[in-house]
Amino acid sequence: MAPSSGRRSAPSKEQLEDRNTVGINKETVTNTVSTDYPDHFLDEDHAWDVDHFRDNFHIQFHQNDQFDSQFSLIGLDASVANAFRRILIAEIPTLAIETVFVHNNTSVIQDEVLAHRLGLIPFQGDKKGLRDFLKPFVKPAEGADQYSTTFDFNTVCLKLNVECTHNKDADPNEKDPKKLYHNAHVYAKDIVFDPVGDKQPEIFSGEGIIKPTNPDILIAKLRPPQVINVEMHMHKGIGADHSKFSPVATASYRLMPTIKTLQPILGADAKKFQECFMPGVIELEKVTKQEASKKGSGYEGHQGELKAVVANPMHDTVSREVLRHEEFEGKVKLGRRRDHFIFSVESTGQWDSDELFIESVLTLKMKINKLKPQVTNMVRNF
Amino acid sequence: MPSRAKSPEDASMEDVAAAAAAQTSGQKPAVSMSGENVGGLEEDDLDASGEAAEPEVEDEEELQRVKILPGSSETAASFEFLEEGHTLGNALRYIIMKNPDVEFCAYSIPHPSEAKMNIRIQTYDTTTATAALEKGLQDLEDLCDVVSEKFWKARDEFNATKDTAMQE
């Protein structure tokens, strides 16, 4: 233990586990509030100590695909975990369509609805360019020229120009509009990137070109001779302003479920017990000779019978189904670990999901760094 | 605790809130808090030509977003943060509560349609409320460093095991 933590006496392992478990009963929850503060327990010091935190905090990855990752943060308080989650959703900037200039739109979709649909399409492009080259857009001052703050380093231009025409080669009996006409369906992939300035064509070229993450998003359906001809300006923004700027499809966490069997559950009961949970959570094992011969274990004389064993509580949904059955009363205790957060981050495509989490931590740090001089400044002027 | 409704503290708080509102609305820059924005020239400029682009950008950078609310003493103070919310409020509250010199710490968002977050800190006389706030910010930053360091390590390890598993 770190000497600087000044901890006077350590609580037992069971005590710690009890404190870290939120109890889940049939109709109620217990022990929901964290108690790791100084003066909460007599003779225990819970003062903040980085070294102590470093020793006790760890991260476990469960899945790490490009756009979908799951990992556990263990040894953290809910307030901090929640800060990361909130930043993921609302404060990490992404690029999205902000302004749509409608040159011509004879489709059945109204201009404003079309503009809204376009805004929600997620785009991707060269990561470095998106993160470092592009800067947030600053709105021009009132009365100033509309484009006085529009530059190649804060605006990306896109074009969408499609006209629906008859397909001369189509079979006369053809019923499928996609074969009967050209451009009957307008997809996200029909949007073209239109680089401006010196650097944009360089940065956003090849693999790094600005394009929709999902090319097959349907934007509109057309019939001859309908036309959509629009130009779009993309800006960088944050999810707090509009959810189209949110870099995540979902970013959520749940607490690690705990299932404790207090008495042996055997035979037919074990099977029923297993079915009360999600698949994989409870496994059935045979009672060994050793267990059966051990007095007071509850397994005496049950050698060879099936017993229920908690295998993987992480997959449980904590449905509390098991608490509805009389035969399990007093035999099982459900709970959740207060300091074990199973995060799930699903990216919309502009960032990799593991990068996103790191970015959320850095964003919180940046927030703090901006406030530090402010606090100093405040003291000077108080 | 005295009743909150009629205390003179609250009356003065309203004045300050009004002053802050006038300041943020950008129509008439009130007395500069940072001392860098002194002089009536800019005020005249604004009156004449609306808002020029230049000062607006500058304003954003130097806007004082933290202040001590009236009625505060050395060891018991309320701080008002502009443009902050639950994200920072709750995390900061937690880390300040972890400070053994702090007797009480809480945060609130007085009204959902105002981008303001208040933090109340009361300390024992071993430190001051401002010092506790500064320590809280520092501790939270240290926490962030540990999290990002450990996260990257865990990710690299996980990816490495995934790669070797795929090769086998």
Side-chain angles (χ1 to χ4, degrees), chain A residues 153-361:
Chain A
F153 60 78
N154 63 17
T155 307
V156 168
C157 290
L158 301 170
K159 279 180 176 159
L160 172 64
N161 188 2
V162 282
E163 182 182 1
C164 185
T165 50
H166 286 281
N167 182 5
K168 298 269 177 347
D169 305 327
D171 183 358
N173 297 320
E174 182 61 58
K175 288 280 190 305
D176 183 1
K178 278 203 272 185
K179 290 176 187 155
L180 209 49
Y181 313 116
H182 296 297
N183 292 327
H185 290 185
V186 184
Y187 292 105
K189 61 185 167 224
D190 297 324
I191 298 174
V192 235
F193 170 49
D194 178 23
V196 288
D198 301 333
K199 288 196 176 155
Q200 275 193 11
E202 232 175 87
I203 295 169
F204 303 112
S205 60
E207 282 290 290
I209 195 168
I210 306 269
K211 58 164 190 254
T213 311
N214 309 288
D216 295 327
I217 296 175
L218 184 66
I219 298 171
K221 289 186 176 181
L222 304 181
R223 288 293 177 269
Q226 293 172 351
V227 176
I228 290 178
N229 183 8
V230 293
E231 242 176 273
M232 292 153 273
H233 280 185
M234 306 180 85
H235 293 150
K236 242 177 161 180
I238 56 168
D241 175 42
H242 193 295
S243 63
K244 71 184 172 189
F245 291 120
S246 184
V248 289
T250 58
S252 64
Y253 59 71
R254 63 198 174 96
L255 294 178
M256 178 66 134
T258 60
I259 303 159
K260 234 174 155 176
T261 49
L262 307 171
Q263 284 170 46
I265 297 163
L266 296 159
D269 273 0
K271 188 105 187 62
K272 189 171 176 187
F273 187 75
Q274 186 185 35
E275 283 164 1
C276 287
F277 296 91
M278 293 300 281
V281 173
I282 305 290
E283 296 290 348
L284 300 180
E285 283 174 16
K286 276 194 177 147
V287 177
T288 60
K289 198 174 169 185
Q290 225 174 4
E291 282 170 328
S293 61
K294 198 175 152 198
K295 270 201 181 141
S297 67
Y299 293 117
E300 302 100 322
H302 291 289
Q303 193 190 333
E305 277 182 49
L306 287 177
K307 61 164 182 170
V309 180
V310 180
N312 192 354
M314 195 183 113
H315 291 153
D316 191 33
T317 56
V318 197
S319 65
R320 305 190 221 193
E321 169 70 13
V322 72
L323 303 178
R324 298 178 63 233
H325 301 282
E326 263 175 35
E327 55 266 54
F328 302 128
E329 216 159 277
K331 286 191 175 176
V332 62
K333 184 87 194 76
L334 298 183
R336 304 194 98 131
R337 275 196 60 190
R338 183 203 310 290
D339 65 342
H340 186 145
F341 298 88
I342 306 167
F343 265 79
S344 162
V345 179
E346 202 182 312
S347 165
T348 53
Q350 211 160 100
W351 298 74
D352 290 352
S353 45
D354 49 3
E355 279 176 354
L356 270 173
F357 183 77
I358 277 287
E359 196 63 22
S360 78
V361 181

Side-chain angles (χ1 to χ4, degrees), chain A residues 36-38 46-48 54 57 64 77 79 86 141 354 361 365 367 371-372 374 377 379 381, chain B residues 33 51 63-65 84 87-88 93-94 97-98 130 137-139 141 144-145 150 155 159 162:
Chain A
D36 55 337
Y37 301 109
H46 284 280
W48 169 255
R54 187 177 288 117
F57 173 72
N64 189 27
D77 189 72
S79 57
R86 287 173 62 95
D354 49 3
V361 181
K365 203 184 148 178
K367 246 180 194 305
L371 284 171
K372 271 184 180 170
Q374 296 247 340
N377 203 18
V379 177
N381 289 289
Chain B
M33 292 185 92
E51 280 176 24
L63 180 76
Q64 178 64 35
R65 283 159 61 219
E84 291 296 346
T87 307
L88 187 80
R93 184 227 88 218
Y94 165 75
M97 276 175 85
K98 286 281 249 181
T130 323
L137 287 169
Q138 184 55 51
D139 289 346
E141 189 183 346
C144 287
D145 287 337
K150 289 227 176 188
R155 186 202 82 130
N159 281 357
K162 209 169 66 176

Side-chain angles (χ1 to χ4, degrees), chain B residues 37-64:
Chain B
N37 195 17
V38 195
L41 265 176
E42 238 178 58
E43 219 173 299
D44 291 343
D45 280 349
L46 285 177
D47 285 343
S49 64
E51 280 176 24
E54 273 288 298
E56 200 188 50
V57 176
E58 266 175 33
D59 267 359
E60 224 168 30
E61 274 168 16
E62 66 191 34
L63 180 76
Q64 178 64 35

